[in-house]
């Protein structure tokens, strides 16, 4: 299967960029669980090429051997619209306040 133009000229349709032969060489559960006469159509796994910036970031990290867990961000983050106690510590009742007695 070849790339099919999508949108502007030179902008291939990412859903058609990888042929079935190439997808069947993948080692994920999606492509290894079923026999070749079954076309697995899972929603959770995308069969598209990696975006250029993602591919470069991964390649750079692997070239450096940077495969450990990332450092924690300087301040906790939370989803917009979530209550203040969801990840920020503000308003949390999970820890008792310190006593002022010495």
């Amino acid at each position: 299967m070849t790339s099919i133009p999508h949108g502007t000229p030179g902008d291939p349709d990412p859903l058609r960029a990888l042929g079935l032969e190439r997808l069947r060489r993948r080692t994920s559960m999606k492509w290894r669980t079923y026999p070749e006469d079954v076309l697995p159509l899972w929603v959770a796994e995308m069969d598209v090429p990696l975006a250029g910036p993602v591919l470069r970031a991964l390649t750079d990290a692997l070239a450096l051997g940077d495969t450990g867990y990332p450092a924690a961000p300087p301040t906790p983050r939370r989803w917009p619209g979530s209550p203040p106690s969801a990840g920020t510590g503000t308003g949390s009742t999970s820890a008792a306040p310190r006593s002022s007695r010495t």
Side-chain angles (χ1 to χ4, degrees):
M1 186 179 291
T2 59
S3 297
I4 296 177
H6 177 73
T8 60
D11 180 20
D13 180 346
L15 296 177
R16 296 182 185 260
L18 301 175
L20 188 56
E21 181 180 318
R22 186 169 173 188
L23 291 170
R24 290 208 182 274
R25 289 194 311 244
R26 290 186 169 192
T27 60
S28 66
M29 184 176 144
K30 175 180 179 174
W31 291 103
R32 296 291 178 215
T33 301
Y34 304 99
E36 286 196 27
D37 64 336
V38 174
L39 183 59
L41 298 174
W42 296 8
V43 175
E45 183 178 324
M46 297 304 294
D47 294 321
V48 297
L50 284 175
V54 173
L55 181 59
R56 283 188 296 277
L58 289 171
T59 302
D60 291 348
L62 290 172
L64 290 171
D66 190 4
T67 57
Y69 292 102
T75 57
R77 297 182 183 173
R78 65 183 179 92
W79 290 103
S82 62
S85 63
T88 64
T90 307
S92 175
T93 58
S94 61
R98 291 186 178 186
S99 173
S100 59
R101 294 183 218 161
T102 54

